[in-house]
Amino acid sequence: MDQVKGEPESPSRLIDRRIEELADWRGETLARLRAIIRQADPDIVEEWKWRGVPVWEHDGIICTGETYKAAVKMTFAKGASLPDPAGLFNSSLEGNTRRAIDVHEGEAIDEAALTALVQAAVALNTAKRPKKKK
């Protein structure tokens, strides 16, 4: 056991465990998406929220990684504000803020486009916001 007795496990370890528990294409897909996210932004922070959802943050939420029977869903918190020239977003398209990518079994992942999307989300979160005039 790699945790001190009485202390909660780290979010990264909880995500590791989720990937191990899935033990199928969904676990492999979540692990691959996670690797792309972490490579796209080495300063990304992993969190574990809402009773078991992996979340990646950098000055706010970048995206989540939910797993369902038929898909692994990456939901970008500010996806509607991000450029998506490769057309990765294929879910939650009707909202004003979020956008999602559903990855199904056997689908290829466009790593370059996903890397660019993660980096754009980080840039959006870290951009200096104009100060409101009083």
Side-chain angles (χ1 to χ4, degrees), residues 36-112:
I36 294 167
I37 292 165
R38 290 167 75 170
Q39 187 172 2
D41 179 20
D43 295 325
I44 204 91
V45 175
E46 294 186 315
E47 296 292 344
W48 186 257
K49 296 186 177 190
W50 309 297
R51 296 186 180 148
V53 176
V55 178
W56 290 275
E57 297 185 352
H58 187 141
D59 286 346
I61 294 175
I62 298 299
C63 64
T64 63
E66 304 125 287
T67 51
Y68 300 96
K69 283 185 180 182
V72 175
K73 179 183 286 286
M74 291 182 71
T75 302
F76 283 75
K78 298 177 184 173
S81 299
L82 299 175
D84 182 22
L88 294 180
F89 291 129
N90 60 11
S91 182
S92 303
L93 301 175
E94 63 286 339
N96 292 330
T97 306
R98 294 178 289 136
R99 293 285 183 273
I101 302 167
D102 286 354
V103 181
H104 300 93
E105 186 172 8
E107 287 183 344
I109 298 168
D110 185 337
E111 293 187 29

Side-chain angles (χ1 to χ4, degrees), residues 116-129:
L117 199 58
V118 169
Q119 291 171 340
V122 170
L124 181 62
N125 277 10
T126 58
K128 298 287 184 211
R129 291 166 183 83

